[in-house]
Amino acid sequence: MLVPTHRRNPCELCVFYRWVPISLVLPAILLGLPAWGAEDLWVTYRGTEGPGAGKQIVLIAGDEEYRSEEYMPMLGQILAKWHGFTCTVLFSINPETGEIDPNCQTNIPGLDQLRSADLMIIGARFRELPDDQMQYIAEYVDSGKPIIGIRTATHAFAYTRNRQSRFAHYDWRSTVWPGGFGRQVLGETWVSHHGVHGRESTRGVIAPGMSQHPILRGVKDVWGPTDVYTVRDLPKDAQVLLYGQVLSGMNPDDPPVAGPKNDPMMPLAWIRFYPSASGKKARVFCTTMGSAVDFACEDLRRLVVNAAYWCLGMEDLIPERAKVDYVTPYEPTPFGFGKFRPGKRPPDLAWR
Protein backbone atom coordinates (compact mmCIF):
# COMPACT_ATOMS: atom_id res chain seq x y z
CA MET A 1 0.00 0.00 0.00
CA LEU A 2 1.17 3.53 -0.77
CA VAL A 3 0.42 6.90 0.74
CA PRO A 4 1.13 10.49 -0.32
CA THR A 5 3.77 12.29 1.70
CA HIS A 6 2.59 15.89 1.68
CA ARG A 7 -0.29 18.11 2.70
CA ARG A 8 0.21 20.88 0.14
CA ASN A 9 -2.45 22.33 -2.10
CA PRO A 10 -3.17 19.43 -4.48
CA CYS A 11 -3.81 21.50 -7.60
CA GLU A 12 -0.82 23.81 -7.40
CA LEU A 13 1.87 21.88 -5.55
CA CYS A 14 1.34 18.20 -6.26
CA VAL A 15 4.16 18.55 -8.75
CA PHE A 16 6.16 17.65 -5.61
CA TYR A 17 3.99 14.60 -5.00
CA ARG A 18 5.81 11.39 -4.09
CA TRP A 19 4.95 7.99 -2.66
CA VAL A 20 6.36 6.04 0.27
CA PRO A 21 6.36 2.28 0.91
CA ILE A 22 4.05 0.20 3.08
CA SER A 23 6.42 0.34 6.05
CA LEU A 24 5.41 3.98 6.52
CA VAL A 25 1.66 3.47 6.18
CA LEU A 26 0.95 3.13 9.89
CA PRO A 27 2.93 6.26 10.83
CA ALA A 28 1.19 8.12 8.05
CA ILE A 29 -2.20 7.12 9.38
CA LEU A 30 -1.18 8.17 12.87
CA LEU A 31 -0.17 11.55 11.45
CA GLY A 32 -3.59 11.95 9.85
CA LEU A 33 -2.48 11.44 6.25
CA PRO A 34 -4.77 9.56 3.84
CA ALA A 35 -3.86 5.98 2.90
CA TRP A 36 -4.94 3.99 -0.14
CA GLY A 37 -3.50 1.41 -2.44
CA ALA A 38 -1.91 2.36 -5.75
CA GLU A 39 -4.42 0.06 -7.43
CA ASP A 40 -7.17 2.42 -6.20
CA LEU A 41 -5.83 5.29 -8.35
CA TRP A 42 -6.86 3.86 -11.74
CA VAL A 43 -9.30 1.31 -13.11
CA THR A 44 -8.63 -1.66 -15.39
CA TYR A 45 -11.15 -3.46 -17.58
CA ARG A 46 -9.80 -6.86 -18.59
CA GLY A 47 -10.62 -8.14 -22.03
CA THR A 48 -10.73 -11.86 -22.60
CA GLU A 49 -12.31 -12.76 -25.94
CA GLY A 50 -12.17 -10.82 -29.18
CA PRO A 51 -9.64 -9.54 -31.72
CA GLY A 52 -7.95 -7.38 -29.10
CA ALA A 53 -7.17 -10.21 -26.67
CA GLY A 54 -3.62 -9.83 -25.41
CA LYS A 55 -3.39 -6.14 -26.32
CA GLN A 56 -3.10 -3.44 -23.65
CA ILE A 57 -4.60 0.05 -24.08
CA VAL A 58 -3.91 2.89 -21.62
CA LEU A 59 -6.51 5.68 -21.70
CA ILE A 60 -5.53 8.99 -20.07
CA ALA A 61 -8.29 11.29 -18.78
CA GLY A 62 -7.48 14.76 -17.50
CA ASP A 63 -9.36 17.88 -18.60
CA GLU A 64 -11.42 20.43 -16.73
CA GLU A 65 -14.12 21.01 -19.33
CA TYR A 66 -15.15 18.09 -21.53
CA ARG A 67 -15.54 15.30 -18.96
CA SER A 68 -12.88 12.88 -20.14
CA GLU A 69 -13.16 11.28 -16.71
CA GLU A 70 -16.60 10.10 -17.84
CA TYR A 71 -16.04 9.14 -21.47
CA MET A 72 -12.68 7.38 -21.09
CA PRO A 73 -14.02 4.67 -18.73
CA MET A 74 -17.00 4.19 -21.05
CA LEU A 75 -14.68 3.72 -24.06
CA GLY A 76 -12.40 1.43 -22.06
CA GLN A 77 -15.33 -0.77 -21.11
CA ILE A 78 -16.49 -1.01 -24.74
CA LEU A 79 -13.01 -1.85 -26.03
CA ALA A 80 -12.61 -4.53 -23.35
CA LYS A 81 -16.07 -6.10 -23.25
CA TRP A 82 -16.89 -6.20 -26.96
CA HIS A 83 -13.43 -6.26 -28.55
CA GLY A 84 -11.16 -8.06 -26.08
CA PHE A 85 -8.60 -5.33 -25.31
CA THR A 86 -7.43 -4.92 -21.73
CA CYS A 87 -7.93 -1.24 -20.91
CA THR A 88 -6.49 0.76 -18.03
CA VAL A 89 -7.94 4.24 -17.46
CA LEU A 90 -5.77 6.82 -15.68
CA PHE A 91 -7.13 10.02 -14.14
CA SER A 92 -6.10 13.34 -12.68
CA ILE A 93 -6.14 12.45 -8.99
CA ASN A 94 -6.31 14.76 -6.00
CA PRO A 95 -3.37 13.52 -3.90
CA GLU A 96 -5.05 14.60 -0.68
CA THR A 97 -8.18 12.51 -1.16
CA GLY A 98 -7.47 9.91 -3.85
CA GLU A 99 -10.51 11.23 -5.71
CA ILE A 100 -10.78 12.02 -9.41
CA ASP A 101 -10.23 15.75 -9.75
CA PRO A 102 -9.94 17.15 -13.30
CA ASN A 103 -8.82 20.49 -11.85
CA CYS A 104 -5.63 18.92 -10.49
CA GLN A 105 -3.34 19.50 -13.44
CA THR A 106 -0.19 18.03 -11.88
CA ASN A 107 -0.90 14.43 -10.94
CA ILE A 108 -1.85 11.40 -13.06
CA PRO A 109 -0.75 8.24 -11.23
CA GLY A 110 -0.07 5.03 -13.10
CA LEU A 111 1.63 6.39 -16.20
CA ASP A 112 4.38 3.78 -15.82
CA GLN A 113 1.85 1.35 -17.30
CA LEU A 114 2.55 2.96 -20.67
CA ARG A 115 5.74 0.90 -20.75
CA SER A 116 3.69 -2.23 -21.44
CA ALA A 117 0.94 -0.51 -23.45
CA ASP A 118 0.28 -1.24 -27.11
CA LEU A 119 -1.82 1.92 -27.59
CA MET A 120 -2.22 5.24 -25.76
CA ILE A 121 -5.51 7.16 -25.95
CA ILE A 122 -5.22 10.65 -24.48
CA GLY A 123 -7.89 13.24 -23.73
CA ALA A 124 -5.96 15.68 -21.52
CA ARG A 125 -5.92 19.48 -21.34
CA PHE A 126 -3.20 21.82 -20.01
CA ARG A 127 -1.55 19.20 -17.78
CA GLU A 128 1.82 19.96 -16.19
CA LEU A 129 3.00 16.69 -14.75
CA PRO A 130 6.09 16.23 -12.59
CA ASP A 131 9.03 14.93 -14.58
CA ASP A 132 8.91 11.49 -12.98
CA GLN A 133 5.39 11.04 -14.36
CA MET A 134 5.88 12.84 -17.67
CA GLN A 135 8.88 10.70 -18.55
CA TYR A 136 6.56 7.77 -19.27
CA ILE A 137 4.54 9.76 -21.80
CA ALA A 138 7.75 10.97 -23.45
CA GLU A 139 9.15 7.43 -23.56
CA TYR A 140 5.94 6.22 -25.15
CA VAL A 141 5.94 8.98 -27.76
CA ASP A 142 9.58 8.28 -28.58
CA SER A 143 8.92 4.54 -28.91
CA GLY A 144 6.91 4.89 -32.11
CA LYS A 145 3.90 3.07 -30.69
CA PRO A 146 0.44 4.32 -31.78
CA ILE A 147 -1.51 7.23 -30.29
CA ILE A 148 -5.11 8.42 -30.35
CA GLY A 149 -5.75 12.05 -29.38
CA ILE A 150 -9.21 13.33 -28.49
CA ARG A 151 -10.27 17.00 -28.62
CA THR A 152 -8.14 18.89 -26.08
CA ALA A 153 -5.23 16.49 -26.57
CA THR A 154 -4.09 19.05 -29.15
CA HIS A 155 -3.23 21.18 -26.12
CA ALA A 156 -2.67 18.42 -23.59
CA PHE A 157 0.31 20.08 -21.88
CA ALA A 158 1.06 23.58 -20.58
CA TYR A 159 4.16 24.50 -18.58
CA THR A 160 3.62 27.49 -16.31
CA ARG A 161 5.03 26.25 -12.97
CA ASN A 162 8.27 24.60 -14.05
CA ARG A 163 9.41 26.11 -17.33
CA GLN A 164 12.84 24.52 -16.81
CA SER A 165 11.42 21.01 -16.99
CA ARG A 166 13.10 18.81 -19.57
CA PHE A 167 9.60 18.20 -20.93
CA ALA A 168 8.60 21.86 -21.27
CA HIS A 169 8.80 21.53 -25.06
CA TYR A 170 5.58 19.49 -24.87
CA ASP A 171 3.78 22.78 -24.09
CA TRP A 172 1.13 23.64 -26.68
CA ARG A 173 2.79 27.05 -27.21
CA SER A 174 6.34 25.75 -27.47
CA THR A 175 8.65 27.53 -29.88
CA VAL A 176 11.47 25.04 -29.32
CA TRP A 177 9.27 22.18 -30.57
CA PRO A 178 6.74 24.37 -32.40
CA GLY A 179 3.22 23.73 -31.17
CA GLY A 180 4.44 21.09 -28.72
CA PHE A 181 2.95 17.61 -28.47
CA GLY A 182 -0.24 18.66 -30.23
CA ARG A 183 1.25 19.96 -33.46
CA GLN A 184 4.37 17.82 -33.55
CA VAL A 185 2.76 14.46 -32.75
CA LEU A 186 -0.99 14.71 -33.32
CA GLY A 187 -0.80 17.25 -36.13
CA GLU A 188 -2.23 20.44 -34.61
CA THR A 189 -2.16 22.47 -31.42
CA TRP A 190 -4.86 24.72 -29.96
CA VAL A 191 -5.72 27.61 -32.26
CA SER A 192 -9.27 28.78 -31.54
CA HIS A 193 -12.95 27.90 -31.57
CA HIS A 194 -14.19 27.93 -35.15
CA GLY A 195 -17.83 27.32 -34.31
CA VAL A 196 -19.43 29.40 -31.55
CA HIS A 197 -18.78 27.50 -28.34
CA GLY A 198 -22.02 26.32 -26.74
CA ARG A 199 -24.19 27.65 -29.58
CA GLU A 200 -23.09 25.93 -32.78
CA SER A 201 -22.81 22.15 -32.80
CA THR A 202 -20.86 19.88 -35.16
CA ARG A 203 -21.74 17.48 -37.93
CA GLY A 204 -19.03 15.14 -39.21
CA VAL A 205 -18.82 15.02 -43.01
CA ILE A 206 -16.79 12.27 -44.68
CA ALA A 207 -13.86 13.70 -46.63
CA PRO A 208 -13.92 13.21 -50.41
CA GLY A 209 -12.42 9.88 -51.42
CA MET A 210 -12.19 8.55 -47.84
CA SER A 211 -15.52 6.72 -47.48
CA GLN A 212 -13.82 3.32 -47.84
CA HIS A 213 -11.13 3.95 -45.24
CA PRO A 214 -11.29 1.20 -42.60
CA ILE A 215 -11.66 3.70 -39.72
CA LEU A 216 -14.90 4.88 -41.33
CA ARG A 217 -16.31 1.35 -41.68
CA GLY A 218 -19.88 1.49 -40.38
CA VAL A 219 -19.56 5.22 -39.57
CA LYS A 220 -22.43 7.14 -41.18
CA ASP A 221 -23.80 9.73 -38.76
CA VAL A 222 -21.42 11.70 -36.53
CA TRP A 223 -22.87 14.62 -34.57
CA GLY A 224 -22.02 16.26 -31.28
CA PRO A 225 -22.91 19.44 -29.35
CA THR A 226 -19.33 20.64 -29.03
CA ASP A 227 -18.17 23.19 -31.59
CA VAL A 228 -15.69 22.82 -34.43
CA TYR A 229 -12.08 23.74 -33.60
CA THR A 230 -9.88 25.78 -35.92
CA VAL A 231 -7.28 23.56 -37.58
CA ARG A 232 -4.70 25.64 -39.40
CA ASP A 233 -1.44 23.74 -39.91
CA LEU A 234 -1.91 20.02 -40.43
CA PRO A 235 1.30 18.36 -41.65
CA LYS A 236 1.52 17.30 -45.28
CA ASP A 237 1.32 13.62 -44.38
CA ALA A 238 -2.06 14.00 -42.61
CA GLN A 239 -5.08 12.41 -44.27
CA VAL A 240 -8.39 14.01 -43.30
CA LEU A 241 -11.17 11.47 -42.70
CA LEU A 242 -13.94 13.82 -41.52
CA TYR A 243 -14.56 17.52 -41.89
CA GLY A 244 -16.49 19.49 -39.28
CA GLN A 245 -19.64 21.16 -40.53
CA VAL A 246 -20.73 24.01 -38.27
CA LEU A 247 -24.45 23.80 -37.51
CA SER A 248 -26.55 26.83 -36.63
CA GLY A 249 -27.77 25.39 -33.34
CA MET A 250 -27.34 22.68 -30.74
CA ASN A 251 -29.54 20.01 -32.30
CA PRO A 252 -28.56 17.40 -34.89
CA ASP A 253 -31.26 18.55 -37.32
CA ASP A 254 -30.21 22.22 -37.24
CA PRO A 255 -29.07 23.48 -40.66
CA PRO A 256 -25.44 24.31 -41.46
CA VAL A 257 -24.26 27.87 -40.96
CA ALA A 258 -24.13 29.71 -44.29
CA GLY A 259 -20.97 31.44 -45.42
CA PRO A 260 -17.22 31.09 -44.89
CA LYS A 261 -17.39 28.99 -41.69
CA ASN A 262 -18.29 26.02 -43.86
CA ASP A 263 -16.50 27.03 -47.02
CA PRO A 264 -14.10 25.38 -46.57
CA MET A 265 -14.86 23.20 -43.56
CA MET A 266 -12.24 22.48 -40.91
CA PRO A 267 -10.67 19.03 -40.51
CA LEU A 268 -12.43 17.13 -37.72
CA ALA A 269 -10.66 13.76 -37.72
CA TRP A 270 -7.42 12.72 -39.41
CA ILE A 271 -4.61 10.20 -39.41
CA ARG A 272 -0.89 10.56 -39.85
CA PHE A 273 2.40 8.72 -39.30
CA TYR A 274 4.55 10.44 -36.68
CA PRO A 275 8.33 10.02 -37.23
CA SER A 276 9.33 9.11 -33.67
CA ALA A 277 12.77 9.32 -32.07
CA SER A 278 13.05 5.52 -32.34
CA GLY A 279 13.00 5.76 -36.12
CA LYS A 280 9.60 4.08 -36.27
CA LYS A 281 6.64 5.93 -37.73
CA ALA A 282 3.82 5.86 -35.20
CA ARG A 283 0.26 5.50 -36.39
CA VAL A 284 -1.69 8.50 -35.06
CA PHE A 285 -5.41 9.25 -35.12
CA CYS A 286 -6.79 12.57 -33.85
CA THR A 287 -10.25 14.06 -33.64
CA THR A 288 -11.21 17.48 -32.30
CA MET A 289 -14.62 16.11 -31.30
CA GLY A 290 -14.88 14.51 -27.93
CA SER A 291 -16.86 15.63 -24.92
CA ALA A 292 -18.77 13.18 -22.75
CA VAL A 293 -22.01 14.30 -24.39
CA ASP A 294 -20.49 13.96 -27.88
CA PHE A 295 -19.90 10.28 -27.14
CA ALA A 296 -23.61 9.73 -26.76
CA CYS A 297 -23.32 9.53 -30.57
CA GLU A 298 -22.98 5.87 -31.50
CA ASP A 299 -20.96 6.55 -34.63
CA LEU A 300 -18.46 8.74 -32.79
CA ARG A 301 -17.84 5.84 -30.42
CA ARG A 302 -17.50 3.56 -33.44
CA LEU A 303 -15.03 5.97 -35.05
CA VAL A 304 -12.71 5.78 -32.04
CA VAL A 305 -13.06 2.00 -31.67
CA ASN A 306 -12.23 1.57 -35.35
CA ALA A 307 -9.29 3.93 -34.93
CA ALA A 308 -7.94 1.73 -32.13
CA TYR A 309 -7.92 -1.26 -34.49
CA TRP A 310 -6.24 0.80 -37.23
CA CYS A 311 -3.62 2.25 -34.92
CA LEU A 312 -2.67 -1.27 -33.86
CA GLY A 313 -2.37 -2.46 -37.46
CA MET A 314 -5.53 -4.53 -37.11
CA GLU A 315 -7.61 -2.75 -39.75
CA ASP A 316 -8.44 -6.04 -41.50
CA LEU A 317 -10.27 -7.08 -38.32
CA ILE A 318 -12.52 -4.02 -38.06
CA PRO A 319 -16.11 -5.30 -38.15
CA GLU A 320 -18.56 -4.01 -40.72
CA ARG A 321 -20.39 -2.40 -37.83
CA ALA A 322 -18.32 -2.52 -34.65
CA LYS A 323 -20.30 -3.10 -31.48
CA VAL A 324 -20.20 0.02 -29.33
CA ASP A 325 -23.14 -0.52 -26.96
CA TYR A 326 -22.62 0.82 -23.44
CA VAL A 327 -21.43 -1.82 -20.99
CA THR A 328 -22.67 0.02 -17.91
CA PRO A 329 -25.20 2.89 -17.80
CA TYR A 330 -23.80 6.08 -19.32
CA GLU A 331 -25.31 9.43 -18.38
CA PRO A 332 -22.84 12.08 -19.57
CA THR A 333 -22.51 15.46 -17.91
CA PRO A 334 -22.71 18.53 -20.19
CA PHE A 335 -19.37 20.16 -20.90
CA GLY A 336 -18.30 23.19 -18.91
CA PHE A 337 -15.88 24.19 -16.19
CA GLY A 338 -16.67 23.18 -12.63
CA LYS A 339 -19.26 20.61 -13.69
CA PHE A 340 -17.48 17.38 -12.86
CA ARG A 341 -19.09 15.00 -10.40
CA PRO A 342 -17.12 15.25 -7.15
CA GLY A 343 -16.40 12.44 -4.74
CA LYS A 344 -15.65 9.78 -7.36
CA ARG A 345 -12.73 7.40 -7.03
CA PRO A 346 -11.49 5.09 -9.77
CA PRO A 347 -12.78 1.93 -8.04
CA ASP A 348 -16.28 3.42 -8.23
CA LEU A 349 -16.02 3.05 -12.01
CA ALA A 350 -15.18 -0.66 -12.04
CA TRP A 351 -17.69 -2.78 -13.87
CA ARG A 352 -19.71 -5.14 -11.73
Side-chain angles (χ1 to χ4, degrees):
M1 182 176 291
L2 304 170
V3 296
T5 61
H6 75 82
R7 298 287 292 175
R8 298 181 176 95
N9 181 291
C11 292
E12 287 302 317
L13 294 179
C14 64
V15 67
F16 300 108
Y17 191 75
R18 296 295 185 270
W19 297 97
V20 295
I22 191 169
S23 61
L24 297 183
V25 167
L26 183 57
I29 293 173
L30 294 175
L31 289 171
L33 298 176
W36 48 75
E39 69 277 3
D40 295 329
L41 300 177
W42 53 80
V43 62
T44 296
Y45 307 110
R46 301 199 178 277
T48 53
E49 298 180 356
K55 298 287 188 182
Q56 172 78 22
I57 300 176
V58 171
L59 303 92
I60 302 172
D63 83 282
E64 307 92 329
E65 186 174 10
Y66 294 105
R67 307 281 69 81
S68 58
E69 75 279 1
E70 294 181 8
Y71 71 70
M72 285 295 194
M74 178 270 293
L75 290 173
Q77 290 177 6
I78 288 171
L79 286 161
K81 178 71 173 179
W82 308 130
H83 303 278
F85 300 98
T86 291
C87 297
T88 297
V89 186
L90 309 180
F91 305 90
S92 289
I93 297 291
N94 183 316
E96 293 285 338
T97 64
E99 295 175 355
I100 298 168
D101 182 357
N103 293 324
C104 186
Q105 297 175 325
T106 53
N107 187 44
I108 299 180
L111 286 166
D112 59 305
Q113 294 177 81
L114 285 171
R115 285 185 163 170
S116 59
D118 299 291
L119 171 64
M120 176 177 77
I121 303 179
I122 183 167
R125 177 184 184 275
F126 293 159
R127 303 296 97 170
E128 185 176 352
L129 303 176
D131 285 359
D132 60 352
Q133 291 185 7
M134 191 65 191
Q135 68 178 351
Y136 297 113
I137 292 177
E139 284 177 7
Y140 186 93
V141 169
D142 289 346
S143 75
K145 291 193 285 188
I147 298 169
I148 290 177
I150 297 177
R151 195 148 173 98
T152 58
T154 60
H155 43 295
F157 305 105
Y159 279 76
T160 60
R161 302 165 180 84
N162 180 18
R163 292 187 174 92
Q164 303 308 308
S165 166
R166 67 183 189 273
F167 303 113
H169 60 289
Y170 272 68
D171 191 301
W172 66 281
R173 301 154 300 186
S174 176
T175 56
V176 175
W177 205 34
F181 168 80
R183 181 160 292 154
Q184 293 294 323
V185 178
L186 299 182
E188 183 58 292
T189 186
W190 166 249
V191 180
S192 64
H193 291 278
H194 183 67
V196 178
H197 186 51
R199 290 173 51 192
E200 294 176 341
S201 61
T202 300
R203 166 77 59 201
V205 176
I206 294 176
M210 300 303 290
S211 62
Q212 299 305 307
H213 194 281
I215 292 179
L216 295 175
R217 193 171 296 157
V219 175
K220 307 297 182 186
D221 183 18
V222 173
W223 173 83
T226 54
D227 61 299
V228 175
Y229 274 178
T230 299
V231 174
R232 186 175 56 201
D233 293 312
L234 280 185
K236 291 180 179 179
D237 72 313
Q239 291 181 283
V240 177
L241 302 179
L242 293 176
Y243 284 99
Q245 186 180 65
V246 179
L247 302 188
S248 58
M250 298 295 285
N251 299 299
D253 56 354
D254 286 327
V257 170
K261 274 193 178 181
N262 285 317
D263 186 19
M265 290 182 285
M266 291 290 168
L268 185 70
W270 61 87
I271 57 172
R272 70 175 303 235
F273 293 85
Y274 167 65
S276 72
S278 71
K280 294 171 60 178
K281 288 193 173 182
R283 289 192 174 200
V284 173
F285 168 87
C286 185
T287 177
T288 57
M289 285 194 78
S291 67
V293 286
D294 285 347
F295 280 108
C297 173
E298 177 180 336
D299 272 359
L300 181 59
R301 301 196 300 275
R302 184 166 290 114
L303 182 77
V304 173
V305 168
N306 289 355
Y309 277 81
W310 179 84
C311 281
L312 289 163
M314 299 168 59
E315 55 263 47
D316 291 344
L317 300 178
I318 297 175
E320 286 304 312
R321 188 171 173 81
K323 188 169 184 177
V324 293
D325 297 357
Y326 302 134
V327 177
T328 59
Y330 183 64
E331 298 176 352
T333 303
F335 55 84
F337 295 103
K339 293 185 178 181
F340 78 96
R341 295 167 177 167
K344 294 283 186 181
R345 300 173 185 268
D348 298 336
L349 304 176
W351 54 15
R352 308 301 180 189

